[in-house]
PDB file of all heavy atoms in Angstrom:
ATOM      1  N   PRO A  36     188.319 134.053 139.455  1.00  0.00           N
ATOM      2  CA  PRO A  36     189.060 133.704 140.669  1.00  0.00           C
ATOM      3  C   PRO A  36     188.281 132.831 141.655  1.00  0.00           C
ATOM      4  O   PRO A  36     188.865 131.983 142.317  1.00  0.00           O
ATOM      5  CB  PRO A  36     189.386 135.050 141.295  1.00  0.00           C
ATOM      6  CG  PRO A  36     189.203 136.055 140.220  1.00  0.00           C
ATOM      7  CD  PRO A  36     188.248 135.473 139.227  1.00  0.00           C
ATOM      8  N   ALA A  37     186.985 133.007 141.759  1.00  0.00           N
ATOM      9  CA  ALA A  37     186.192 132.236 142.725  1.00  0.00           C
ATOM     10  C   ALA A  37     186.146 130.755 142.367  1.00  0.00           C
ATOM     11  O   ALA A  37     185.941 129.912 143.242  1.00  0.00           O
ATOM     12  CB  ALA A  37     184.782 132.791 142.810  1.00  0.00           C
ATOM     13  N   LEU A  38     186.355 130.415 141.097  1.00  0.00           N
ATOM     14  CA  LEU A  38     186.282 129.019 140.666  1.00  0.00           C
ATOM     15  C   LEU A  38     187.654 128.375 140.482  1.00  0.00           C
ATOM     16  O   LEU A  38     187.749 127.186 140.208  1.00  0.00           O
ATOM     17  CB  LEU A  38     185.487 128.907 139.367  1.00  0.00           C
ATOM     18  CG  LEU A  38     184.008 129.259 139.467  1.00  0.00           C
ATOM     19  CD1 LEU A  38     183.360 129.197 138.103  1.00  0.00           C
ATOM     20  CD2 LEU A  38     183.299 128.345 140.451  1.00  0.00           C
ATOM     21  N   ARG A  39     188.707 129.135 140.629  1.00  0.00           N
ATOM     22  CA  ARG A  39     190.063 128.597 140.443  1.00  0.00           C
ATOM     23  C   ARG A  39     190.512 127.919 141.733  1.00  0.00           C
ATOM     24  O   ARG A  39     191.150 128.524 142.585  1.00  0.00           O
ATOM     25  CB  ARG A  39     191.028 129.711 140.051  1.00  0.00           C
ATOM     26  CG  ARG A  39     190.720 130.271 138.687  1.00  0.00           C
ATOM     27  CD  ARG A  39     191.683 131.349 138.307  1.00  0.00           C
ATOM     28  NE  ARG A  39     191.331 131.883 137.009  1.00  0.00           N
ATOM     29  CZ  ARG A  39     192.136 132.618 136.267  1.00  0.00           C
ATOM     30  NH1 ARG A  39     193.336 132.926 136.722  1.00  0.00           N
ATOM     31  NH2 ARG A  39     191.734 133.053 135.102  1.00  0.00           N
ATOM     32  N   ARG A  40     190.201 126.650 141.861  1.00  0.00           N
ATOM     33  CA  ARG A  40     190.477 125.906 143.092  1.00  0.00           C
ATOM     34  C   ARG A  40     191.545 124.835 142.926  1.00  0.00           C
ATOM     35  O   ARG A  40     191.882 124.154 143.875  1.00  0.00           O
ATOM     36  CB  ARG A  40     189.187 125.266 143.610  1.00  0.00           C
ATOM     37  CG  ARG A  40     188.155 126.272 144.014  1.00  0.00           C
ATOM     38  CD  ARG A  40     188.589 126.960 145.274  1.00  0.00           C
ATOM     39  NE  ARG A  40     187.787 128.151 145.523  1.00  0.00           N
ATOM     40  CZ  ARG A  40     188.071 129.035 146.441  1.00  0.00           C
ATOM     41  NH1 ARG A  40     189.124 128.882 147.207  1.00  0.00           N
ATOM     42  NH2 ARG A  40     187.314 130.078 146.597  1.00  0.00           N
ATOM     43  N   VAL A  41     192.112 124.674 141.728  1.00  0.00           N
ATOM     44  CA  VAL A  41     193.217 123.733 141.540  1.00  0.00           C
ATOM     45  C   VAL A  41     194.486 124.435 141.996  1.00  0.00           C
ATOM     46  O   VAL A  41     194.852 125.481 141.470  1.00  0.00           O
ATOM     47  CB  VAL A  41     193.345 123.280 140.071  1.00  0.00           C
ATOM     48  CG1 VAL A  41     194.580 122.410 139.884  1.00  0.00           C
ATOM     49  CG2 VAL A  41     192.100 122.539 139.626  1.00  0.00           C
ATOM     50  N   LYS A  42     195.155 123.859 142.994  1.00  0.00           N
ATOM     51  CA  LYS A  42     196.413 124.424 143.481  1.00  0.00           C
ATOM     52  C   LYS A  42     197.585 123.911 142.652  1.00  0.00           C
ATOM     53  O   LYS A  42     198.518 124.650 142.363  1.00  0.00           O
ATOM     54  CB  LYS A  42     196.612 124.081 144.951  1.00  0.00           C
ATOM     55  CG  LYS A  42     195.604 124.766 145.856  1.00  0.00           C
ATOM     56  CD  LYS A  42     195.639 124.246 147.266  1.00  0.00           C
ATOM     57  CE  LYS A  42     196.878 124.639 148.011  1.00  0.00           C
ATOM     58  NZ  LYS A  42     196.823 124.242 149.431  1.00  0.00           N
ATOM     59  N   ALA A  43     197.529 122.635 142.293  1.00  0.00           N
ATOM     60  CA  ALA A  43     198.583 122.028 141.487  1.00  0.00           C
ATOM     61  C   ALA A  43     198.020 120.755 140.865  1.00  0.00           C
ATOM     62  O   ALA A  43     197.107 120.146 141.408  1.00  0.00           O
ATOM     63  CB  ALA A  43     199.798 121.701 142.339  1.00  0.00           C
ATOM     64  N   ALA A  44     198.579 120.394 139.740  1.00  0.00           N
ATOM     65  CA  ALA A  44     198.160 119.165 139.066  1.00  0.00           C
ATOM     66  C   ALA A  44     199.390 118.456 138.529  1.00  0.00           C
ATOM     67  O   ALA A  44     200.424 119.081 138.271  1.00  0.00           O
ATOM     68  CB  ALA A  44     197.188 119.481 137.933  1.00  0.00           C
ATOM     69  N   THR A  45     199.272 117.167 138.382  1.00  0.00           N
ATOM     70  CA  THR A  45     200.283 116.348 137.734  1.00  0.00           C
ATOM     71  C   THR A  45     199.560 115.566 136.651  1.00  0.00           C
ATOM     72  O   THR A  45     198.550 114.928 136.929  1.00  0.00           O
ATOM     73  CB  THR A  45     200.944 115.382 138.735  1.00  0.00           C
ATOM     74  OG1 THR A  45     201.490 116.137 139.798  1.00  0.00           O
ATOM     75  CG2 THR A  45     202.052 114.597 138.082  1.00  0.00           C
ATOM     76  N   VAL A  46     200.048 115.689 135.439  1.00  0.00           N
ATOM     77  CA  VAL A  46     199.399 114.978 134.331  1.00  0.00           C
ATOM     78  C   VAL A  46     200.428 114.134 133.595  1.00  0.00           C
ATOM     79  O   VAL A  46     201.579 114.513 133.472  1.00  0.00           O
ATOM     80  CB  VAL A  46     198.691 115.944 133.352  1.00  0.00           C
ATOM     81  CG1 VAL A  46     197.538 116.639 134.030  1.00  0.00           C
ATOM     82  CG2 VAL A  46     199.652 116.974 132.797  1.00  0.00           C
ATOM     83  N   GLY A  47     199.986 112.987 133.149  1.00  0.00           N
ATOM     84  CA  GLY A  47     200.862 112.089 132.416  1.00  0.00           C
ATOM     85  C   GLY A  47     200.050 111.236 131.471  1.00  0.00           C
ATOM     86  O   GLY A  47     198.825 111.335 131.399  1.00  0.00           O
ATOM     87  N   ARG A  48     200.731 110.381 130.763  1.00  0.00           N
ATOM     88  CA  ARG A  48     200.078 109.509 129.798  1.00  0.00           C
ATOM     89  C   ARG A  48     199.080 108.570 130.444  1.00  0.00           C
ATOM     90  O   ARG A  48     198.083 108.203 129.832  1.00  0.00           O
ATOM     91  CB  ARG A  48     201.144 108.678 129.082  1.00  0.00           C
ATOM     92  CG  ARG A  48     201.173 108.888 127.619  1.00  0.00           C
ATOM     93  CD  ARG A  48     202.271 108.131 126.962  1.00  0.00           C
ATOM     94  NE  ARG A  48     202.213 106.704 127.284  1.00  0.00           N
ATOM     95  CZ  ARG A  48     203.173 105.860 126.996  1.00  0.00           C
ATOM     96  NH1 ARG A  48     204.262 106.280 126.428  1.00  0.00           N
ATOM     97  NH2 ARG A  48     203.048 104.593 127.294  1.00  0.00           N
ATOM     98  N   TRP A  49     199.330 108.163 131.667  1.00  0.00           N
ATOM     99  CA  TRP A  49     198.519 107.129 132.303  1.00  0.00           C
ATOM    100  C   TRP A  49     197.598 107.662 133.384  1.00  0.00           C
ATOM    101  O   TRP A  49     196.997 106.899 134.115  1.00  0.00           O
ATOM    102  CB  TRP A  49     199.418 106.042 132.874  1.00  0.00           C
ATOM    103  CG  TRP A  49     200.289 105.475 131.819  1.00  0.00           C
ATOM    104  CD1 TRP A  49     201.628 105.650 131.693  1.00  0.00           C
ATOM    105  CD2 TRP A  49     199.893 104.683 130.703  1.00  0.00           C
ATOM    106  NE1 TRP A  49     202.090 105.015 130.576  1.00  0.00           N
ATOM    107  CE2 TRP A  49     201.039 104.402 129.946  1.00  0.00           C
ATOM    108  CE3 TRP A  49     198.668 104.178 130.279  1.00  0.00           C
ATOM    109  CZ2 TRP A  49     201.009 103.638 128.786  1.00  0.00           C
ATOM    110  CZ3 TRP A  49     198.648 103.420 129.123  1.00  0.00           C
ATOM    111  CH2 TRP A  49     199.803 103.153 128.395  1.00  0.00           C
ATOM    112  N   GLY A  50     197.465 108.958 133.506  1.00  0.00           N
ATOM    113  CA  GLY A  50     196.560 109.489 134.523  1.00  0.00           C
ATOM    114  C   GLY A  50     197.030 110.826 135.049  1.00  0.00           C
ATOM    115  O   GLY A  50     197.920 111.450 134.487  1.00  0.00           O
ATOM    116  N   GLY A  51     196.425 111.221 136.114  1.00  0.00           N
ATOM    117  CA  GLY A  51     196.776 112.493 136.703  1.00  0.00           C
ATOM    118  C   GLY A  51     196.271 112.586 138.127  1.00  0.00           C
ATOM    119  O   GLY A  51     195.544 111.714 138.609  1.00  0.00           O
ATOM    120  N   ALA A  52     196.705 113.625 138.782  1.00  0.00           N
ATOM    121  CA  ALA A  52     196.270 113.895 140.147  1.00  0.00           C
ATOM    122  C   ALA A  52     196.243 115.409 140.318  1.00  0.00           C
ATOM    123  O   ALA A  52     196.929 116.135 139.604  1.00  0.00           O
ATOM    124  CB  ALA A  52     197.233 113.269 141.148  1.00  0.00           C
ATOM    125  N   ALA A  53     195.428 115.858 141.241  1.00  0.00           N
ATOM    126  CA  ALA A  53     195.348 117.307 141.481  1.00  0.00           C
ATOM    127  C   ALA A  53     195.178 117.570 142.966  1.00  0.00           C
ATOM    128  O   ALA A  53     194.587 116.774 143.691  1.00  0.00           O
ATOM    129  CB  ALA A  53     194.183 117.912 140.716  1.00  0.00           C
ATOM    130  N   GLU A  54     195.710 118.685 143.384  1.00  0.00           N
ATOM    131  CA  GLU A  54     195.506 119.180 144.733  1.00  0.00           C
ATOM    132  C   GLU A  54     194.540 120.350 144.618  1.00  0.00           C
ATOM    133  O   GLU A  54     194.797 121.301 143.884  1.00  0.00           O
ATOM    134  CB  GLU A  54     196.828 119.633 145.337  1.00  0.00           C
ATOM    135  CG  GLU A  54     196.709 120.120 146.757  1.00  0.00           C
ATOM    136  CD  GLU A  54     198.049 120.523 147.340  1.00  0.00           C
ATOM    137  OE1 GLU A  54     199.092 120.370 146.686  1.00  0.00           O
ATOM    138  OE2 GLU A  54     198.034 121.017 148.471  1.00  0.00           O
ATOM    139  N   LEU A  55     193.393 120.258 145.300  1.00  0.00           N
ATOM    140  CA  LEU A  55     192.366 121.290 145.238  1.00  0.00           C
ATOM    141  C   LEU A  55     192.365 122.111 146.518  1.00  0.00           C
ATOM    142  O   LEU A  55     192.602 121.579 147.599  1.00  0.00           O
ATOM    143  CB  LEU A  55     190.985 120.660 145.033  1.00  0.00           C
ATOM    144  CG  LEU A  55     190.824 119.734 143.833  1.00  0.00           C
ATOM    145  CD1 LEU A  55     189.399 119.199 143.786  1.00  0.00           C
ATOM    146  CD2 LEU A  55     191.188 120.432 142.541  1.00  0.00           C
ATOM    147  N   GLU A  56     192.093 123.388 146.377  1.00  0.00           N
ATOM    148  CA  GLU A  56     191.964 124.267 147.536  1.00  0.00           C
ATOM    149  C   GLU A  56     190.605 124.006 148.177  1.00  0.00           C
ATOM    150  O   GLU A  56     189.567 124.154 147.529  1.00  0.00           O
ATOM    151  CB  GLU A  56     192.068 125.723 147.093  1.00  0.00           C
ATOM    152  CG  GLU A  56     192.076 126.697 148.226  1.00  0.00           C
ATOM    153  CD  GLU A  56     192.254 128.124 147.722  1.00  0.00           C
ATOM    154  OE1 GLU A  56     192.876 128.327 146.672  1.00  0.00           O
ATOM    155  OE2 GLU A  56     191.738 129.020 148.395  1.00  0.00           O
ATOM    156  N   PRO A  57     190.582 123.592 149.438  1.00  0.00           N
ATOM    157  CA  PRO A  57     189.308 123.221 150.060  1.00  0.00           C
ATOM    158  C   PRO A  57     188.386 124.412 150.323  1.00  0.00           C
ATOM    159  O   PRO A  57     188.839 125.535 150.502  1.00  0.00           O
ATOM    160  CB  PRO A  57     189.725 122.562 151.373  1.00  0.00           C
ATOM    161  CG  PRO A  57     191.058 123.126 151.674  1.00  0.00           C
ATOM    162  CD  PRO A  57     191.695 123.439 150.344  1.00  0.00           C
ATOM    163  N   LEU A  58     187.122 124.133 150.309  1.00  0.00           N
ATOM    164  CA  LEU A  58     186.075 125.097 150.663  1.00  0.00           C
ATOM    165  C   LEU A  58     185.062 124.389 151.548  1.00  0.00           C
ATOM    166  O   LEU A  58     184.738 123.231 151.303  1.00  0.00           O
ATOM    167  CB  LEU A  58     185.326 125.567 149.410  1.00  0.00           C
ATOM    168  CG  LEU A  58     185.995 126.556 148.503  1.00  0.00           C
ATOM    169  CD1 LEU A  58     185.205 126.693 147.214  1.00  0.00           C
ATOM    170  CD2 LEU A  58     186.081 127.901 149.189  1.00  0.00           C
TER     171      LEU A  58
END
Side-chain angles (χ1 to χ4, degrees):
L38 294 176
R39 293 181 182 196
R40 296 289 166 190
V41 175
K42 293 170 70 174
T45 303
V46 294
R48 240 177 55 190
W49 304 109
E54 182 178 356
L55 305 180
E56 185 177 331
L58 284 170

